[in-house]
């Protein structure tokens, strides 16, 4: 009897020591991140600082044989865009939060800036619908919203001040399992050519028109020195805060990406004006100084390129003008 108990105990210990079935790691599918800027005819938009017809971004997560995401459901997705790839939230009317929230969004078709598509394996469905420009909360320059078939996602934009003010788009706390995400953002959302995708099938508004002005929403970077990288990061509900990431270059095809072109055509024509507050020679005086950066190209849909921003501003005072530091408090 004692020998039997000993054998049973050894068997139990051996069983505990055996590794369980390997848990697949959560993560983005390698090479699945795709990003491209397009002209109206579907060709790649490569002119630096121009307004593309559309910007498209997609990614996939690793899935098992049943199509479910490996290693748990995605919790957050974060997208780092290159500096200079900007969206002007004031170019499109904003949908008030009270109109977006609810069973079905009641946002005006004029507030739509594109379409979003996602595969939800847990619900055995694919959702496809409008992406709205929402009124953002304090501290955020831009907020986007998507809500179709009970699946709601809000995306918040922030700026990476330490990285040339590149924009980061964060979609936190996704309410359902997502195995694929794809977004198309329109360059000029009010363009009538987007009307077939404007509106919501759930509200029978698909095919609506926009009464907003034809002002560009998107502008490409004014940088021809290197290909523009875009990074997608995702974490899981089982391991929050532990992000997997995949990167791609804008307009990358077949593993090859070229820099944007035509930087010599990007205008830069700042105007300055200054005058002293006193006209008396050798007298104490203030100095009124103004820098103007006219940028009609940023708002003009027909412009070849928007004007670029200054990298540094340096002011050289006229000879004989001096500054008395004792009249101002220094920075400690």
């Amino acid at each position: 009897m004692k020998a039997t108990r000993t054998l049973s105990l050894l068997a139990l210990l051996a069983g505990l020591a055996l590794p369980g079935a390997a848990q697949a790691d959560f993560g983005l599918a390698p090479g699945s991140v795709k990003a491209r800027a397009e002209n109206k005819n579907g060709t790649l938009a490569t002119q630096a600082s121009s307004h593309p017809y559309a910007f498209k971004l997609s990614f996939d997560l690793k899935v098992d044989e049943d199509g479910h995401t490996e290693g748990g459901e995605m919790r957050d997705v974060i997208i780092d865009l290159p500096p200079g790839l900007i969206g002007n939230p004031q170019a499109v009317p904003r949908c008030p939060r009270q109109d977006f929230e609810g069973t079905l969004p009641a946002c005006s078709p004029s507030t739509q800036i594109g379409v979003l598509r996602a595969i939800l394996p847990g619900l055995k469905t694919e959702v496809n619908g409008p992406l709205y420009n929402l009124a953002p909360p304090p501290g955020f320059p831009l907020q986007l919203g998507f809500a179709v078939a009970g699946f709601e996602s809000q995306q918040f934009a922030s700026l990476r001040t330490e990285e040339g003010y590149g924009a980061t788009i964060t979609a936190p706390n996704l309410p359902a399992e997502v195995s694929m995400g794809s977004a198309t953002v329109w360059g000029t959302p009010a363009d009538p050519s987007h009307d077939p995708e404007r509106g919501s099938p759930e509200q029978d508004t698909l095919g609506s028109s926009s009464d907003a002005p034809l002002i560009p929403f998107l502008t490409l970077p004014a940088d021809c020195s290197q290909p523009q990288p875009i990074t997608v990061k995702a974490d899981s509900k089982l391991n929050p805060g532990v992000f997997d990431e995949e990167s791609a270059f804008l307009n990358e095809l077949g593993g090859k990406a070229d820099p944007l072109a035509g930087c010599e055509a990007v205008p830069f024509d700042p105007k300055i004006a200054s005058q002293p507050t006193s006209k008396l020679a050798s007298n104490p005086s203030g100095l009124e100084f103004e820098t103007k950066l006219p940028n009609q190209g940023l708002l003009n849909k027909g412009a070849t390129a928007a004007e670029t921003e200054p990298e540094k501003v340096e002011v050289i005072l006229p000879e004989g003008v001096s500054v008395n530091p004792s009249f101002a408090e220094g920075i400690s």
Side-chain angles (χ1 to χ4, degrees), residues 307-330:
E307 295 174 70
T308 187
E309 68 280 355
E311 183 175 354
K312 181 175 73 171
V313 176
E314 183 175 312
V315 179
I316 300 176
L317 298 175
E319 186 175 349
V321 175
S322 60
V323 177
N324 186 347
S326 64
F327 279 87
E329 294 183 4

Side-chain angles (χ1 to χ4, degrees), residues 61 80 98 176 289 317:
L61 281 88
D80 288 339
Q98 61 267 26
F289 182 85
L317 298 175

